[in-house]
Amino acid sequence: MGIKDTYSAKSAGPQGGVAFVAPVGTELPTDATSELPAAFLAGNLGVLTDEGHLRKITRTSNTEKDYDGGDYIINQNEYGATYEFTVYDVDLESVKNLLYGAHNVEF
């Protein structure tokens, strides 16, 4: 499952969780008052620990020089992002599905 968009909010929301995941391509809510689509509710990961979540960006590039030895252009070679978070509700089916894949989990 790839991560395309993220949103962060306080845990006292009406949906009963803080972190929600859904398959890439799931229609996103249009505003903060919209109900979450069913795919997100099925991916309710519960409450995060007080460490919150962390987004790490990795990027590699190289700089091309011009005839005078000055920087001419910077080419980006690779780009990646990872998201890290810790959940309290490790026994939720949605958490296990995210970690191990839904086809590997039985409840």
Side-chain angles (χ1 to χ4, degrees):
M1 174 184 299
I3 298 176
K4 185 177 176 197
D5 297 295
T6 63
Y7 173 74
S8 186
K10 293 185 81 168
S11 62
Q15 269 37 31
V18 173
F20 296 85
V21 295
V24 171
T26 301
E27 186 175 336
L28 299 175
T30 56
D31 58 55
T33 61
S34 297
E35 292 292 321
L36 286 175
F40 281 101
L41 294 177
N44 180 354
L45 301 179
V47 178
L48 300 181
T49 66
D50 61 354
E51 296 170 352
H53 66 85
L54 177 63
R55 177 180 176 200
K56 292 183 178 180
I57 302 294
T58 56
R59 183 185 318 249
T60 62
S61 61
N62 65 304
T63 304
E64 301 291 335
K65 303 287 186 180
D66 62 16
Y67 181 76
D68 297 322
D71 292 348
Y72 178 69
I73 191 169
I74 299 173
N75 295 311
Q76 179 174 287
N77 301 322
E78 296 177 308
Y79 176 86
T82 59
Y83 296 86
E84 295 178 9
F85 53 88
T86 304
V87 297
Y88 281 122
D89 305 314
V90 295
D91 288 336
L92 288 176
E93 182 176 358
S94 55
V95 173
K96 292 181 180 181
N97 286 344
L98 180 65
L99 290 175
Y100 306 113
H103 58 281
N104 294 317
V105 176
E106 289 183 22
F107 271 84

